Amino acid sequence: MSKEIIVNRTYEETRVAVLDNSKLSDIFIERRESEKILNNIYKGKVQNIVSGLSSAFIDIGFGKSAYLSMDDIVALKNEHNIENMLKVGQEIMVQVYKEPISTKGPKVTMDISLPGRLLVYMPFSNNIGVSKQIEDKEEYSRLKNIVKNLKTNLAGGIIVRTEAEDATEEEIEKEIKYLSRLWGSIINRFANSKVGSVVHKDLGVVFQTVRDHFTEDVSLMYIDNQKELKDVVEFVRTVSPELENRILLYDGKQPVFKAYGIEEEIKRLRSNKARLPSGGYLIIQEAESLCAIDVNSGKFTGNNNTQEEVVTMTNIEAADEIARQLRLRNIGGIIVIDFIDMKKEKNRKKVLEQLRNAVKGDKAKIKIWPITRLGLIEMTRERKRESLFSLLGDTCPTCHGLGLVLSKESIFINVCQEIEQMGIEKYHGKIKIKLCPEVAKYFTERKDRLNELFNKDIEIIPTDAVDREDYNIILEQ
């Protein structure tokens, strides 16, 4: 399998795409105004304890209080009463494991975990674990014994990640020392920080992708920004020096995401329909914590195949595409899939097995139940941050939440990209942008940033004549 990583870096946004055999399999987006807090560690203060919910609300300086369940509290004694574990006003160290979604604040834990490329270090645990995806029993035992021997003078637990397969003892020891030093610096920063301060920030989206996805099976990594390229090369020299020569600067005439067809793919992700190779399609209806997926055969007839064979072939295709769409759209919570009805039990089992195999590459925790009497498959998928659908769109003021339009931030980024592609450095005339009033206000508030970015005095013109997602860029002499 040929795997590629494509990085697109602009002033407002960083996007990373992972391609398997030239097909988009993962997309990660980080925006300047939408600061990521997942896996960050904070110095928090207990605001309120709710005994009836066995939980507490923590001030981490974020605005919305963070939710802390009793199961996520690290206590010295085996307590069952949350009021004996925490006190109002107490200062504690917490890590965000679920970002705020919709009206809900972030969820935090006191059981800190520090991921490296090969290992995850958990200072408040004593367990040693090895990824279940390492199926070779000898390799599994070898890695566990290495960690067990190296951990003798280190308090805390360690989980060996899938990426550690075939790693040397020297590489593992080096990472254990690095994570141990990192934990020591976090403790020091916590002691000297104010409540609400970030005592440790997780890696940005590009470096996370390098850590989690840039392995031997990646043939190349294209980056379209010189500074980002330099930073990534320095990072890779530390974690995987043997892969350094696979990192290349993209300097093509077309924007890198457009050249690879990723831009069109992202546009398709805004639709509730996903096409299957045979001509069938999926209808994906996403709610806050529930997603329904309907499989349709479309015009696929399968030539001389029986109806049962056609249905089974469509469902198998759908299983692969569903796994891909869940990753790309970052859909989480409860997912109900309505496959096309199959009469034979062996075919139902075949489709279920195909779905289970298809989700194995997903780094989110997934659980799949057998097909119900109604022919439905129920599954759950962990989601730690908002879905891609929510990131790309604002609630539509016309339909009041029944659909989505491009967010003002997305339109701002699109305008910046288009102006950049126009090559206006040597243009000395006036530049005007016509927008609907709501979006124009957003642009006016960021006019200084726009002027600074292009070194031009750009005029923003609000007008009802322009639709919500549209804009007109006017160049005047």
Side-chain angles (χ1 to χ4, degrees):
M1 181 179 286
S2 173
K3 197 171 180 180
E4 298 167 302
I5 297 175
I6 313 298
V7 179
N8 168 228
R9 173 72 186 269
T10 63
Y11 184 74
E12 290 291 332
E13 179 181 60
T14 301
R15 301 182 295 178
V16 182
V18 181
L19 306 178
D20 283 335
N21 290 329
S22 302
K23 190 173 185 179
L24 185 64
S25 62
D26 276 298
I27 181 76
F28 308 104
I29 299 176
E30 191 172 76
R31 290 181 165 177
R32 192 166 176 264
E33 287 199 7
S34 308
E35 186 181 3
K36 184 185 77 67
I37 66 169
L38 185 66
N39 294 327
N40 286 357
I41 299 174
Y42 292 83
K43 183 170 186 174
K45 180 188 280 188
V46 180
Q47 281 184 315
N48 190 21
I49 296 172
V50 185
S51 302
L53 296 176
S54 296
S55 60
F57 290 93
I58 314 299
D59 174 18
I60 61 170
F62 182 70
K64 292 179 182 177
S65 297
Y67 177 85
L68 176 67
S69 167
M70 188 168 75
D71 294 336
D72 290 311
I73 297 173
V74 174
L76 296 175
K77 295 183 288 184
N78 187 20
E79 281 285 352
H80 298 286
N81 186 344
I82 191 169
E83 291 181 328
N84 293 333
M85 302 166 80
L86 293 175
K87 301 296 178 187
V88 173
Q90 182 180 344
E91 295 178 358
I92 59 174
M93 185 190 296
V94 291
Q95 184 174 33
V96 176
Y97 71 87
K98 192 170 186 179
E99 287 194 341
I101 297 174
S102 186
T103 58
K104 298 175 183 175
K107 290 186 177 181
V108 296
T109 179
M110 292 174 67
D111 192 8
I112 308 296
S113 62
L114 300 174
R117 184 167 179 270
L118 307 176
L119 313 168
V120 178
Y121 175 50
M122 299 168 296
F124 300 111
S125 171
N126 290 312
N127 297 327
I128 296 175
V130 180
S131 168
K132 292 179 181 177
Q133 292 194 28
I134 298 177
E135 296 176 351
D136 187 304
K137 291 183 179 179
E138 287 186 12
E139 179 65 5
Y140 186 98
S141 299
R142 183 187 77 89
L143 291 168
K144 192 163 187 176
N145 288 332
I146 288 174
V147 172
K148 198 172 182 180
N149 292 334
L150 292 173
K151 187 187 165 299
T152 48
N153 297 321
L154 178 69
I158 290 175
I159 295 175
V160 181
R161 304 183 69 184
T162 311
E163 287 78 3
E165 194 167 10
D166 299 325
T168 65
E169 183 172 345
E170 184 183 359
E171 289 172 326
I172 293 171
E173 183 179 18
K174 185 178 177 182
E175 185 148 304
I176 288 176
K177 288 179 179 178
Y178 162 72
L179 293 173
S180 176
R181 288 196 300 270
L182 176 61
W183 175 237
S185 68
I186 290 170
I187 292 173
N188 289 335
R189 283 198 294 273
F190 177 81
N192 298 306
S193 298
K194 297 178 181 178
V195 169
S197 300
V198 182
V199 295
H200 172 70
K201 262 195 168 187
D202 194 29
L203 295 173
V205 65
V206 177
F207 294 100
Q208 273 189 42
T209 307
V210 171
R211 183 188 68 197
D212 298 338
H213 295 271
F214 194 42
T215 51
E216 280 292 340
D217 58 343
V218 176
S219 59
L220 68 84
M221 183 177 189
Y222 258 141
I223 302 175
D224 67 354
N225 180 280
Q226 185 71 56
K227 183 182 182 304
E228 192 72 35
L229 178 83
K230 183 182 175 184
D231 293 342
V232 170
V233 167
E234 288 179 3
F235 183 68
V236 169
R237 278 177 188 158
T238 304
V239 296
S240 306
E242 72 281 4
L243 302 178
E244 182 187 337
N245 62 352
R246 302 185 192 185
I247 305 169
L248 304 172
L249 177 69
Y250 177 81
D251 56 0
K253 293 181 179 179
Q254 275 191 321
V256 65
F257 266 37
K258 191 171 183 179
Y260 275 81
I262 301 167
E263 212 69 76
E264 284 301 314
E265 188 77 44
I266 292 173
K267 285 182 182 178
R268 285 195 287 271
L269 290 174
R270 291 177 55 211
S271 170
N272 67 345
K273 183 180 282 190
R275 296 284 178 187
L276 301 177
S278 65
Y281 59 93
L282 309 175
I283 296 294
I284 304 169
Q285 298 289 347
E286 184 186 346
E288 188 171 319
S289 58
L290 174 71
C291 178
I293 301 176
D294 186 32
V295 182
N296 295 275
S297 60
K299 297 178 181 179
F300 182 49
T301 59
N303 298 324
N304 297 322
N305 299 97
T306 65
Q307 184 180 357
E308 179 78 3
E309 288 171 336
V310 170
V311 166
T312 304
M313 289 167 65
T314 303
N315 283 339
I316 286 173
E317 276 188 1
D320 288 332
E321 187 62 23
I322 286 167
R324 176 173 171 265
Q325 291 291 328
L326 293 178
R327 287 199 309 272
L328 291 175
R329 296 169 186 250
N330 194 26
I331 294 172
I334 300 167
I335 299 155
V336 179
I337 307 167
D338 184 9
F339 283 101
I340 306 169
D341 189 40
M342 295 165 288
K343 295 177 181 178
K344 295 181 180 179
E345 178 66 22
K346 69 172 185 178
N347 289 334
R348 289 196 288 269
K349 287 183 178 178
K350 193 185 292 184
V351 171
L352 181 62
E353 190 61 29
Q354 186 74 20
L355 181 63
R356 284 180 170 152
N357 288 332
V359 300
K360 280 185 177 178
D362 197 325
K363 295 187 180 293
K365 293 178 183 176
I366 289 176
K367 188 170 183 179
I368 301 174
W369 281 265
I371 296 178
T372 68
R373 291 180 181 178
L374 294 175
L376 305 174
I377 287 183
E378 298 168 352
M379 63 181 286
T380 57
R381 182 178 184 272
E382 174 190 41
R383 182 172 69 198
K384 294 185 176 181
R385 57 172 67 98
E386 64 180 346
S387 71
L388 184 71
F389 213 50
S390 301
L391 176 68
L392 295 179
D394 281 338
T395 302
C396 176
T398 303
C399 68
H400 303 290
L402 295 178
L404 288 174
V405 294
L406 274 180
S407 68
K408 293 183 285 290
E409 185 182 6
S410 292
I411 297 170
F412 186 88
I413 290 168
N414 289 346
V415 169
C416 288
Q417 288 175 344
E418 187 164 326
I419 292 174
E420 188 175 1
Q421 290 168 27
M422 291 166 71
I424 62 164
E425 296 84 4
K426 297 180 180 178
Y427 181 75
H428 300 294
K430 291 183 178 179
I431 301 174
K432 299 179 180 179
I433 306 173
K434 286 188 176 181
L435 303 142
C436 86
E438 181 188 1
V439 179
K441 182 183 176 185
Y442 182 93
F443 273 64
T444 301
E445 291 169 353
R446 289 152 183 80
K447 191 170 183 292
D448 289 342
R449 191 192 307 169
L450 204 61
N451 294 343
E452 179 187 346
L453 184 59
F454 298 105
N455 197 26
K456 305 282 184 184
D457 185 16
I458 297 174
E459 184 180 354
I460 310 300
I461 303 173
T463 173
D464 291 324
V466 177
D467 291 335
R468 171 65 163 69
E469 290 190 2
D470 290 337
Y471 53 86
N472 294 324
I473 300 172
I474 302 167
L475 304 181
E476 289 183 353
Q477 295 298 331

